Amino acid sequence: MNLLQLLRPFLPQILLAAGLALLPAAAQAWLPPLVVKPLFDQVLSGQWGRLGEVLLVGAGLLAVLVVSGYVLEAFIGYLSLKIPAVWRERVFERLLQADLMALPASAGGLTGRLVADLKELEGFLFYSLGGLLVQGILLLALLAQLLLHYAQLTLYLLLVLPLMALLLGWIGAWVTRYSRRTQAAMERLAARMAEGFGRLELIRALDLQAFAQARFRRSNQQQYRLGRTRALIAALNLPLGQLATTLLLGLLLALGVGAVQRGQMTPGDLTAFLTLLGLAVTPLQLLSRIGTGFAQAEGAAARLVELLELPPAPAMGQLRPQTLAGGLELRNLSFAYPGSPATLQNLNLRIAPGSFTAIVGPSGAGKSTLLRLLLGLYRPSAGQVLLDGLELHSYEAGWLRARMAWVPQEPLLFAGTVQENLAALAPGARPEAMQQALDTVGLGREIGLQTLLEDDGGGLSVGQRQRLAIAAALLREAKILLLDEITSALDRHSEGQVMAALEAARPGRTVIVVAHRLSTVQHADQIVVMEKGRIVQVGSHAELMGLPGLYADFWKS
């Protein structure tokens, strides 16, 4: 059971909650024999001598019921928040450490799964687990009292309970099945929402509102239909449970009246027995609904366990050399994403330490994918990536990351001040160095260290975000800089500032730049031309311009 797997680490807290549930359950179970029975027997017989004593016992039981009930509800509320919070953090940690090849492609879908499934778990813990503990233990306490005082009549009740459990189990299996499908539909719906809100300006500019609305409507209607079916199945629990308990109560009432007529029970006994049965009806009916909640939570838990069981990223080595020259080499390198044709095919290339290498080519040539392999984010499907003559993945992960800096097409920036962003991206950098880096990339007069950014660098232009990411890369003092389309969104003036900054940062560093704008890379030590996942040309600007081929065609066009 996936739900039990999520709850097992919190077994001590759940057992404590079960212990707390014993107090209100015991108080309710002892009310009929200690208060109701003697009260009715004394009233009917006209004997009032123990009335005060009975009422005092009743007041004491009521006080235990109220105080212990409050403590239990507060503790269940704590657990319903604590357990999802812990698993939310653990699932997020697992996703950060998971093999990138195994992750679902949709970030919006992952977000929807993490939020919606854990919300389902939170609802189960608050409404169903608390109810299961309270009502389940109350039912056991009531059955114990019934067996203790009215064993013969109680046996009829015990004969029917297994049949009710089988019925609830059958309904619960159907609810679990539809819960998983409903949660999957909610994941797709969250992806559609992220798709729409994340590109709202572009959708409006291209007049795609109708298209986006149609896609969202289809996902929304699918989620609605699955949820409706789940609700219709779950709704069977209550009326079927009510029918079974009503028929059972009618049978037991007839048997009890017969026992009174035969002198086997007093009117007080019958009243106490019916009171116990009446108290048992509510737990029986609520447990049927709790079974539905359990089935729904089991579907959500199964999807969370799928994320927790994602394989971790392949282990890196343990090499931590004292020095790093920064030379890279590709040997017969090939790579393909899962379920896709090869993105890179049989690449062979040498990048000298401290050199400036540019990678150019049409869109879809595999340039950005190659950068990801050079960073060690993915393992080659075939061949090798060598760093200073050694397999890239033989180095220790933290050591390697500290010596590489990557500026992607969409820089990673967080809500907070510029200084907080630079401190996160370049740990240990001093404010003076941060300011110098901003000046180097031409941002010193445009923003300050205390400038507030929104999520993803909101509040800055695209060019400013890219330059800020380059400033962070320079602050890391990495031996290898990898930059992906860093000038594509810059004007000529900003482009000149960035290229001057890179030129100043070049000494002692290996710089690899993916570019579409050829003017930014014509002074590179070597230019690598890619097409359809292959390297088709390698040379300097002058060498490639003197040869027929793709590079010269780019310049002519």
Side-chain angles (χ1 to χ4, degrees):
M1 297 291 285
N2 297 287
L3 184 57
L4 296 182
Q5 181 177 338
L6 296 183
L7 296 180
R8 191 175 296 118
F10 304 93
L11 184 59
Q13 293 93 325
I14 293 173
L15 289 177
L16 176 58
L20 291 173
L22 285 173
L23 292 174
Q28 291 189 67
W30 282 106
L31 270 172
L34 294 183
V35 178
V36 175
K37 179 185 181 314
L39 189 62
F40 268 80
D41 283 342
Q42 289 186 43
V43 169
L44 292 175
S45 63
Q47 300 175 2
W48 304 90
R50 296 181 57 236
L51 182 61
E53 178 184 341
V54 171
L55 293 177
L56 185 61
V57 171
L61 290 174
L62 183 60
V64 171
L65 177 63
V66 171
V67 174
S68 61
Y70 169 77
V71 173
L72 177 62
E73 283 293 315
F75 189 65
I76 290 295
Y78 158 76
L79 286 182
S80 70
L81 296 174
K82 178 65 175 179
I83 294 176
V86 169
W87 283 117
R88 189 178 296 117
E89 190 168 324
R90 292 184 185 178
V91 171
F92 188 75
E93 180 182 6
R94 169 58 67 178
L95 293 176
L96 291 178
Q97 304 297 331
D99 186 354
L100 294 175
M101 298 284 276
L103 284 176
S106 170
L110 271 178
T111 303
R113 178 182 294 199
L114 195 58
V115 172
D117 290 350
L118 281 166
K119 195 67 180 176
E120 187 84 46
L121 179 62
E122 181 181 325
F124 164 77
L125 292 170
F126 187 76
Y127 296 106
S128 298
L129 181 62
L132 179 63
L133 293 174
V134 173
Q135 303 302 330
I137 292 176
L138 174 59
L139 182 60
L140 291 176
L142 293 172
L143 287 175
Q145 286 291 341
L146 286 167
L147 283 171
L148 181 63
H149 298 287
Y150 316 103
Q152 184 176 0
L153 290 177
T154 306
L155 290 176
Y156 293 105
L157 175 63
L158 295 179
L159 289 175
V160 179
L161 289 181
L163 298 177
M164 291 184 63
L166 287 174
L167 176 63
L168 296 179
W170 177 76
I171 295 174
W174 276 92
V175 172
T176 299
R177 184 182 308 172
Y178 273 93
S179 289
R180 294 194 66 172
R181 295 174 63 183
T182 302
Q183 293 299 105
M186 180 61 76
E187 179 184 334
R188 291 190 292 272
L189 185 61
R192 296 287 83 77
M193 293 175 67
E195 179 183 85
F197 295 149
R199 294 291 184 269
L200 197 57
E201 292 178 342
L202 188 59
I203 288 173
R204 191 167 297 175
L206 297 177
D207 196 26
L208 294 176
Q209 292 97 319
F211 172 77
Q213 181 66 42
R215 280 169 60 84
F216 182 83
R217 184 181 294 112
R218 284 194 298 270
S219 296
N220 190 45
Q221 288 297 317
Q222 182 185 33
Q223 196 276 337
Y224 160 73
R225 286 192 295 269
L226 288 170
R228 180 186 60 190
T229 303
R230 183 181 73 173
L232 290 174
I233 296 172
L236 290 172
N237 264 325
L238 185 60
L240 290 179
Q242 288 176 332
L243 176 62
T245 52
T246 301
L247 292 176
L248 180 61
L249 281 175
L251 173 63
L252 293 175
L253 177 60
L255 293 173
V257 170
V260 172
Q261 291 174 342
R262 291 189 299 272
Q264 297 172 342
M265 296 177 69
T266 68
D269 285 325
L270 179 59
T271 305
F273 176 71
L274 292 178
T275 303
L276 287 169
L277 281 180
L279 290 173
V281 168
T282 300
L284 282 172
Q285 293 180 347
L286 287 178
L287 286 174
S288 68
R289 303 194 72 171
I290 290 169
T292 302
F294 183 92
Q296 294 174 355
E298 172 63 22
R303 288 160 46 81
L304 290 171
V305 169
E306 286 177 2
L307 296 181
L308 288 167
E309 293 178 347
L310 286 172
M316 299 283 287
Q318 299 299 321
L319 289 179
R320 298 173 60 91
Q322 294 296 318
T323 60
L324 179 69
L328 290 160
E329 182 180 354
L330 311 180
R331 289 185 182 175
N332 304 316
L333 180 72
S334 296
F335 177 77
Y337 291 103
S340 301
T343 305
L344 302 175
Q345 303 178 58
N346 198 33
L347 304 187
N348 289 279
L349 178 67
R350 286 179 180 271
I351 300 174
S355 65
F356 178 14
T357 298
I359 303 175
V360 301
S363 297
K367 306 183 296 296
S368 296
T369 298
L370 176 56
L371 283 192
R372 287 167 170 81
L373 266 72
L374 293 175
L375 284 160
L377 297 177
Y378 297 92
R379 291 287 180 95
S381 304
Q384 293 178 299
V385 179
L386 304 180
L387 175 60
D388 283 0
L390 299 175
E391 170 68 43
L392 183 67
H393 289 87
S394 65
Y395 293 93
E396 194 269 328
W399 182 92
L400 182 65
R401 299 286 179 258
R403 283 150 182 81
M404 287 186 165
W406 179 33
V407 180
Q409 295 178 15
E410 297 182 4
L412 178 64
L413 297 172
F414 312 96
T417 65
V418 169
Q419 183 171 344
E420 289 169 343
N421 273 266
L422 293 177
L425 297 170
R430 298 174 61 84
E432 299 81 10
M434 294 179 184
Q435 187 60 54
Q436 184 178 354
L438 292 180
D439 293 337
T440 301
V441 297
L443 281 176
R445 295 184 178 180
E446 300 175 22
I447 60 175
L449 292 178
Q450 300 308 313
T451 300
L452 281 173
L453 307 183
E454 300 171 10
D455 289 329
D456 296 324
L460 300 180
S461 68
V462 175
Q464 286 176 323
R465 289 200 292 268
Q466 287 187 328
R467 282 187 284 158
L468 183 56
I470 294 170
L474 297 178
L475 277 171
R476 288 172 67 91
E477 298 184 355
K479 196 69 176 178
I480 300 173
L481 297 180
L482 300 103
L483 306 108
D484 194 354
E485 301 287 358
I486 58 170
T487 62
S488 60
L490 305 182
D491 56 34
R492 292 292 181 182
H493 176 69
S494 298
E495 176 188 327
Q497 288 180 313
V498 169
M499 296 311 296
L502 288 179
E503 192 63 31
R506 271 192 59 191
R509 288 188 173 95
T510 302
V511 179
I512 303 171
V513 177
V514 168
H516 270 123
R517 192 177 291 178
L518 299 182
S519 60
T520 63
V521 298
Q522 58 182 318
H523 300 299
D525 297 318
Q526 71 171 348
I527 298 172
V528 180
V529 185
M530 295 185 64
E531 184 180 28
K532 296 180 180 178
R534 298 179 182 274
I535 294 176
V536 295
Q537 288 182 296
V538 179
S540 67
H541 172 73
E543 291 170 344
L544 295 177
M545 287 299 293
L547 297 172
L550 196 60
Y551 186 77
D553 292 342
F554 283 155
W555 274 93
K556 292 175 184 177
S557 62

